Amino acid sequence: MSFSMALRTVRHESPSPIGIAAKYLKALRRRDFVAGAALIDGRWHPGEQRDVVIDPATGEEIADVAHCGGADMNSAIAAAERSFVGWRELLPSTRGAILRAWASLISKHSDELAILVTSEQGKPIAEARHEIAYGAGFLDWFAAEGERAYGETIPSHKAGSLLHVRMHPVGVAAAITPWNFPVAMITRKAGAALAAGCPIIVKPAPETPLSALALARLAEEAGVPSGVFQVLVGDPLELSTPLLRDPRVRALSFTGSTQVGRVLLEGAAATVKKVSLELGGHAPFIVFDDVDLDKAVKGAMAAKFATSGQDCLAANRIYVQKGIYAEFVKAFSAAIVQLKVGHGLEAATDIGPMTKLSVANKCRMQIDDAVMKGARMSAVAHATKLSPNFVLPTLLSDVTEDMLIAQEETFGPVAAVLPFESEEEVVIRANANEMGLAGYVYTESLRRALRLSEQIECGMLGINTASFTGPPIPFGGWKQSGLGREGSRHGLAEYTEMKYVCFGDLKA
Ligand code: NAD
């Protein structure tokens, strides 16, 4: 079937965005945000070699940053270890005050940080600003939660004994972070680690180093001591190998693909680290025919197209009940073709480029595969003068489970709609996937909502909402979507060890 078939399209023409990111970066008042130096042991390293940063919307080089190697990582681990005692011995309220100061500097520099995020990641500037606020929120929230890392007293099972459980910081932590949320995935990990009393070493994605290094500048300004928060950019394997092998690194937190998560879990086994993994998703988005159509379409637009689809919470399989299917596809198509595709620094843009070409190519492959196997292309938004990293927002309807898009995470602006008949059937189909990060259910029936909240196999479920993340919630997945939780008091626990103490022989 050809792509030139009759589609609903809207033509958006935009001026060529060549040079726009460089122009914005040049105008930043904070020149240190684009200096690209790594922060190791309280010193800024320009690096003997530099790695290039690309604007994914145009393919242009926009900056370069220090390339760190294994020896740099070993220095960072030693510095983190040295900083541990001093940091853990601060009162939680003192650590909290530093975290709050960091959050406040991030908020103060929100506009400049958003320009960095959009320039290197590609997301629309409004979404980048939202990410900065979301990211700062984790530091604020954990600043307070660190003061509530309560232990327990246990009614004793032994005469004359007192039983206590205390929470201790686990030690040096490492974070390997992705490019889709280059600020918030760092603050979600660092907020929890620092609040618990652990230093953290961050290895950001090579695609988005500027945001991470700018966060380090602000951490230093906020008073985070040397060695407590360090950022090193470079080859993922070269930098992760010392982190995995070194027994001084006691915790590893990773967000990214399930494939890399498995490799890191295996690597961390040698030194039995505490590992938390936030991996891929394949969220079912289930629409029953008792719903308000507009609400369901709005929810599907948000759950599919936020971050241009590069979101682990993205709706990957949109199941729509037969009674509302045709109407839903029509209304969803009409909304999709209105999406404005372009450079994220242009204010009107809804959908930016894929940060990585490999992700754009995966989207195209899933579209071709689905169309070849009988899916209908019901809508494609349109735009011109774009780099190969762009994928036009696309609606595939009549998708079936044998298609790649129904099995593998898409991570782009391609929506797959599948019809279903009954509740029993859709629950089985929704759960028939090795991922279990998030899910969405739209229904007006309270009984059905309660039943599905029990039955859907995932770590996070939105009932009649596509918006549920934030600092107080336990973010994480079931099955191969990961291990452990981020955010919430459970997120703090990823950076603590429990110690049970038995005070015996207390009788005078
Ligand atoms: P990735 O897993 O390769 O990258 C994530 C992070 O892991 C980056 O910092 C990267 O440098 C690092 N990394 C890569 N290989 C490594 C290795 N061998 N050792 C140590 N660190 C390593 O993800 P990707 O290839 O950039 O994206 C592929 C797919 O992963 C996406 O299409 C999407 O499905 C998924 N993904 C999920 C998330 C999420 O939020 N859960 C984020 C990014 C990507």
Side-chain angles (χ1 to χ4, degrees):
M1 200 177 294
S2 138
F3 284 8
S4 59
M5 59 193 286
L7 294 169
R8 300 172 60 92
T9 64
V10 168
R11 190 160 285 268
H12 294 293
E13 302 294 345
S14 62
S16 168
I18 298 293
I20 186 171
K23 196 176 96 192
Y24 272 84
L25 292 177
K26 213 169 155 198
L28 287 185
R29 271 182 297 138
R30 288 290 302 246
R31 299 313 305 154
D32 55 341
F33 282 5
V34 280
L39 179 59
I40 306 170
D41 197 10
R43 282 191 292 277
W44 293 98
H45 291 251
E48 282 162 25
Q49 290 175 50
R50 306 278 290 178
D51 288 340
V52 163
V53 186
I54 303 283
D55 171 1
T58 61
E60 291 170 289
E61 289 182 16
I62 50 170
D64 51 64
V65 298
H67 173 94
C68 300
D72 298 311
M73 186 54 88
N74 287 329
S75 307
I77 295 169
E81 177 71 5
R82 282 195 300 277
S83 75
F84 178 40
V85 175
W87 184 247
R88 83 172 172 218
E89 286 184 355
L90 289 179
L91 286 176
S93 56
T94 308
R95 289 198 296 264
I98 294 173
L99 282 174
R100 276 192 205 94
W102 189 14
S104 140
L105 284 169
I106 290 173
S107 304
K108 182 175 158 200
H109 292 285
S110 169
D111 286 347
E112 285 167 292
L113 291 170
I115 288 168
L116 296 181
V117 169
T118 296
S119 299
E120 62 184 359
Q121 198 278 342
K123 68 177 69 178
I125 190 77
E127 286 191 0
R129 282 198 199 98
H130 182 262
E131 181 187 344
I132 308 302
Y134 175 62
F138 286 103
L139 301 180
D140 259 336
W141 195 87
F142 278 114
E145 192 62 13
E147 295 191 53
R148 299 182 199 122
Y150 301 123
E152 294 171 13
T153 56
I154 301 173
S156 184
H157 60 308
K158 290 178 173 294
S161 298
L162 277 178
L163 315 184
H164 287 184
V165 175
R166 295 191 198 139
M167 308 310 290
H168 290 258
V170 65
V172 174
I176 299 182
T177 57
W179 39 263
N180 57 341
F181 285 89
V183 167
M185 293 307 97
I186 293 177
T187 55
R188 192 159 74 185
K189 296 177 195 306
L194 266 55
C198 303
I200 191 163
I201 302 169
V202 178
K203 189 219 83 60
E207 294 77 15
T208 54
L210 295 174
S211 315
L213 294 169
L215 284 181
R217 293 272 172 189
L218 297 176
E220 187 185 50
E221 261 167 67
V224 176
S226 297
V228 172
F229 181 78
Q230 305 179 85
V231 178
L232 288 82
V233 182
D235 176 70
L237 202 59
E238 201 181 338
L239 293 182
S240 64
T241 302
L243 287 175
L244 291 173
R245 291 200 180 143
D246 198 310
R248 291 173 295 182
V249 177
R250 295 304 323 139
L252 171 71
S253 177
F254 170 72
T255 300
S257 61
T258 298
Q259 197 186 1
V260 172
R262 281 192 202 103
V263 171
L264 296 177
L265 185 60
E266 212 175 313
T271 50
V272 195
K273 297 183 200 310
K274 204 163 174 161
V275 178
S276 59
L277 302 173
E278 202 271 278
L279 308 175
H282 207 283
F285 186 105
I286 305 171
V287 183
F288 286 92
D289 59 13
D290 60 356
V291 293
D292 176 295
L293 184 69
D294 286 350
K295 271 195 215 156
V297 169
K298 254 193 201 142
M301 289 297 291
K304 179 70 246 181
F305 294 104
T307 327
S308 311
Q310 301 169 106
D311 194 324
C312 52
L313 299 179
N316 224 108
R317 288 164 290 151
I318 301 171
Y319 292 103
V320 182
Q321 202 164 18
K322 280 273 174 69
I324 201 178
Y325 185 79
E327 264 182 287
F328 180 92
V329 169
K330 195 169 159 210
F332 199 22
S333 299
I336 288 172
V337 295
Q338 295 300 328
L339 289 170
K340 172 90 169 58
V341 184
H343 198 290
L345 289 169
E346 291 162 342
T349 295
D350 300 308
I351 300 288
M354 302 301 96
T355 310
K356 292 178 75 161
L357 183 59
S358 58
V359 173
N361 288 338
K362 184 162 113 186
C363 292
R364 288 188 267 269
M365 199 171 72
Q366 289 191 353
I367 294 173
D368 288 351
D369 170 81
V371 170
M372 197 182 69
K373 290 176 179 158
R376 277 190 307 130
M377 279 178 85
S378 297
V380 181
H382 186 84
T384 53
K385 301 185 186 110
L386 300 174
S387 82
N389 282 43
F390 279 91
V391 175
L392 298 175
T394 301
L395 173 59
L396 297 169
S397 57
D398 298 353
V399 166
T400 48
E401 267 86 358
D402 60 326
M403 298 172 187
L404 284 178
I405 197 163
Q407 297 159 15
E408 295 174 354
E409 190 172 29
T410 304
F411 234 62
V414 186
V417 181
L418 304 84
F420 74 91
E421 304 263 2
S422 72
E423 182 183 323
E424 295 71 24
E425 169 209 335
V426 80
V427 168
I428 293 169
R429 289 170 67 188
N431 288 340
N433 192 282
E434 64 191 25
M435 299 300 166
L437 189 63
Y440 306 84
V441 175
Y442 276 70
T443 179
E444 289 299 314
S445 158
L446 178 60
R447 282 211 174 92
R448 179 186 278 147
L450 287 169
R451 280 195 300 271
L452 266 80
S453 73
E454 281 286 306
Q455 292 165 352
I456 300 295
E457 295 168 359
C458 64
M460 295 170 283
L461 185 66
I463 307 274
N464 295 326
T465 181
S467 164
F468 51 67
T469 62
I473 69 118
F475 195 108
W478 289 14
K479 302 196 262 188
Q480 296 189 35
S481 284
L483 291 176
R485 292 295 181 270
E486 292 195 297
S488 80
R489 65 191 173 87
H490 305 286
L492 193 73
E494 301 292 337
Y495 298 92
T496 60
E497 284 282 23
M498 220 179 255
K499 186 188 283 169
Y500 156 62
V501 184
C502 175
F503 297 89
D505 197 20
L506 294 180
K507 288 213 169 115

